[in-house]
Amino acid sequence: AKQLSKAEIYCKKAMDLSERAPVDVGYWGVFLKEKGDIESGEKELIEAVSKGSDIVFHYGVLCDIYDKQKRFSEAADLMKRALNRLKLNHNEELDFRMNLSEYLIMLNKTGEAIETFKQIDFEKIAPPQKTNYLFLKYVLSCIRSDQNAASNALKEFCDLLMEHREKTRSNYDFTNLLQYATDHLGERQITLLRRWGDAAKGVITMSEFVQIYGTEEQREKAAKEWNDERSLEIHRLKSGKIKSLDDIASLATGSNPIETALDAFSCYYADLPEELQGLSGGLIIEGLTHEKPSVKKAAAQSAGALFWKFSREEKEKVLSGLALIAQQSDAPLDLRDAALSVIAALFFQLTPSQQDRIMPVLREVEKEYSPGYLKQLISRIDQKQEEKS
């Protein structure tokens, strides 16, 4: 608090001495914004910029205010003004052109966004910025329905990940473009772009992204260079080497391979082609009857997460498998809890016939094993039945 007080005194004194020179007004605006007074900070920054402040930071902070408030038209105008008026170094110019391209996309000014984007020299930018550049390139290609350009951007990103690895990490905020994709692009493209952002942030591994979205050649190379069991399981699935849980076990190079594979297949279910969705879903359901408790537990959790994506027949198999696990009095408690927790989460969204099939199982289990959440579930069920009657 003392530091903020000193900063406030310093900024005000500087403005008094300079008779509100644009540079000092700008820093005062930054201070107010950081203090939480966004409205006053914006007012001061607008004055600083309009009266000639040549401090790049002032433009960046004002742009951030506009961005957070989704005021893309004002943000785009500010970026244009900065590009025309300021002496920017290479990285500053790159960031502002990338920002401007993004805001023009958000304003549905695709043609202008493309022209702005073309002025960026890909070869001169660092790996993290290449990650952002290729993301923008992919989005623009999708908007133009240019599948070849989109595929090339994706291939370039996978090459970038494999060549530079951790150096490709980016702190770029993909929120706006992901929202645009959600509003305007197809489901597959939306899923891919979300994964792209996750790979850039380190939320998912680079090897997993390459195995999901890379070319066959890239996937083969990544499988040799990255010794990561999860990504290897995805590689084996996509290469046609896995048809059953026994295949997973026989090909494994790490510990707990089936559990690892089931987790990976459920995590990336939406990313897989339809035929592989069916296969991975079948493997997860197969896991519900596996002899190993940890496999059953992984399968139960995965099946619960994917339940609403399954076919009607698959849903019935999942419910039967979960019910069987829940009824096993000699099963490990964490396994029974996994199955019962999934049933509890799904119950009120099941069809009446499915509820009728599961209810006797719950009442039977409650007689000899009754965790708090199961008691609450049965109490809610009884209450709803009373309300109906």
Side-chain angles (χ1 to χ4, degrees):
K2 288 182 179 180
Q3 289 180 336
L4 289 178
S5 179
K6 287 180 180 179
E8 187 172 1
I9 293 169
Y10 174 81
C11 287
K12 285 183 174 180
K13 187 173 182 179
M15 282 198 299
D16 290 340
L17 291 172
S18 66
E19 297 182 348
R20 290 186 65 85
V23 169
D24 295 320
V25 172
Y27 281 117
W28 176 236
V30 171
F31 170 79
L32 291 172
K33 188 258 187 185
E34 294 301 316
K35 192 178 177 181
D37 188 352
I38 307 298
E39 184 176 349
S40 298
E42 176 190 339
K43 182 179 178 182
E44 300 292 349
L45 284 163
I46 289 174
E47 179 183 332
V49 168
S50 64
K51 291 187 176 180
S53 171
D54 60 356
I55 305 299
V56 176
F57 184 52
H58 296 166
Y59 284 78
V61 174
L62 181 55
C63 182
D64 183 65
I65 293 173
Y66 292 151
D67 188 300
K68 293 293 189 296
Q69 296 178 2
K70 310 299 181 187
R71 294 156 63 184
F72 300 125
S73 181
E74 289 161 286
D77 289 343
L78 182 65
M79 291 295 94
K80 289 177 184 178
R81 184 186 303 181
L83 288 164
N84 290 329
R85 289 175 50 179
L86 301 183
K87 292 182 179 179
L88 303 171
N89 63 37
H90 177 74
N91 287 330
E92 291 167 344
E93 181 181 350
L94 169 65
D95 287 342
F96 281 19
R97 288 200 186 282
M98 294 276 285
N99 288 342
L100 177 56
S101 298
E102 174 185 321
Y103 298 138
L104 291 170
I105 290 172
M106 301 306 294
L107 293 167
N108 291 312
K109 296 182 178 181
T110 307
E112 192 176 348
I114 292 170
E115 291 306 311
T116 301
F117 186 75
K118 285 179 179 178
Q119 296 176 57
I120 301 171
D121 189 344
F122 179 75
E123 298 304 323
K124 291 184 179 181
I125 58 182
Q129 293 167 320
K130 286 184 177 180
T131 292
N132 311 336
Y133 173 96
L134 292 170
F135 188 98
L136 264 173
K137 182 179 179 181
Y138 183 89
V139 172
L140 284 168
S141 300
C142 291
I143 294 171
R144 293 159 51 210
S145 299
D146 188 340
Q147 186 57 49
N148 287 335
S151 296
N152 287 337
L154 179 57
K155 183 177 183 298
E156 286 180 86
F157 181 52
C158 289
D159 282 337
L160 185 73
L161 291 177
M162 295 175 67
E163 181 180 355
H164 295 286
R165 306 211 177 184
E166 298 300 323
K167 292 180 180 178
T168 61
R169 291 280 185 254
S170 169
N171 59 5
Y172 191 81
D173 187 352
F174 296 99
T175 304
N176 291 332
L177 291 174
L178 286 173
Q179 184 59 56
Y180 181 92
T182 301
D183 294 340
H184 296 89
L185 303 182
E187 186 174 341
R188 288 281 181 183
Q189 295 165 326
I190 297 166
T191 300
L192 186 156
L193 288 167
R194 285 176 180 158
R195 297 296 190 198
W196 195 314
D198 287 344
K201 303 290 184 187
V203 177
I204 64 173
T205 68
M206 298 170 184
S207 56
E208 288 173 20
F209 184 90
V210 173
Q211 290 300 344
I212 288 292
Y213 288 112
T215 63
E216 184 176 352
E217 181 181 355
Q218 288 172 326
R219 291 190 292 106
E220 288 292 339
K221 183 179 179 183
K224 294 175 182 177
E225 295 183 0
W226 272 307
N227 186 26
D228 171 62
E229 189 65 36
R230 272 175 63 95
S231 62
L232 286 174
E233 295 298 352
I234 299 167
H235 173 71
R236 291 164 187 151
L237 180 72
K238 294 194 72 174
S239 300
K241 297 177 182 178
I242 293 176
K243 301 295 182 184
S244 68
L245 297 186
D246 288 340
D247 293 334
I248 296 173
S250 65
L251 294 168
T253 56
S255 59
N256 300 319
I258 298 178
E259 296 91 320
T260 300
L262 295 183
D263 181 61
F265 297 164
S266 62
C267 178
Y268 292 107
Y269 184 89
D271 304 78
L272 295 171
E274 189 173 337
E275 65 274 12
L276 290 183
Q277 287 182 343
L279 177 57
S280 63
L283 292 170
I284 290 168
I285 293 170
E286 183 186 346
L288 293 172
T289 57
H290 196 271
E291 60 183 14
K292 190 177 176 183
S294 60
V295 171
K296 285 183 180 178
K297 181 179 178 181
Q301 293 168 334
S302 296
L306 295 177
F307 187 80
W308 302 112
K309 297 182 182 295
F310 287 149
S311 67
R312 181 177 178 180
E313 182 181 354
E314 288 172 330
K315 288 175 183 175
E316 294 302 321
K317 290 180 179 179
V318 168
L319 289 174
S320 295
L322 292 172
L324 187 61
I325 293 171
Q327 289 172 296
Q328 292 177 340
S329 59
D330 59 344
L333 291 184
D334 66 327
L335 172 56
R336 297 186 79 184
D337 278 333
L340 286 167
S341 296
V342 172
I343 292 173
L346 296 174
F347 187 85
F348 289 109
Q349 299 174 70
L350 298 176
T351 65
S353 63
Q354 289 171 333
Q355 290 180 349
D356 290 341
R357 186 155 66 86
I358 290 296
M359 194 61 218
V361 173
L362 297 178
R363 294 200 183 279
E364 178 186 338
V365 172
E366 187 189 26
K367 293 176 183 178
E368 51 90 18
Y369 178 58
S370 186
Y373 64 85
L374 181 57
K375 288 182 179 179
Q376 291 176 3
L377 173 63
I378 292 177
S379 175
R380 286 180 62 199
I381 293 170
D382 291 339
Q383 183 180 352
K384 285 183 177 292
Q385 288 179 340
E386 288 177 7
E387 291 173 355
K388 286 182 180 180
S389 59

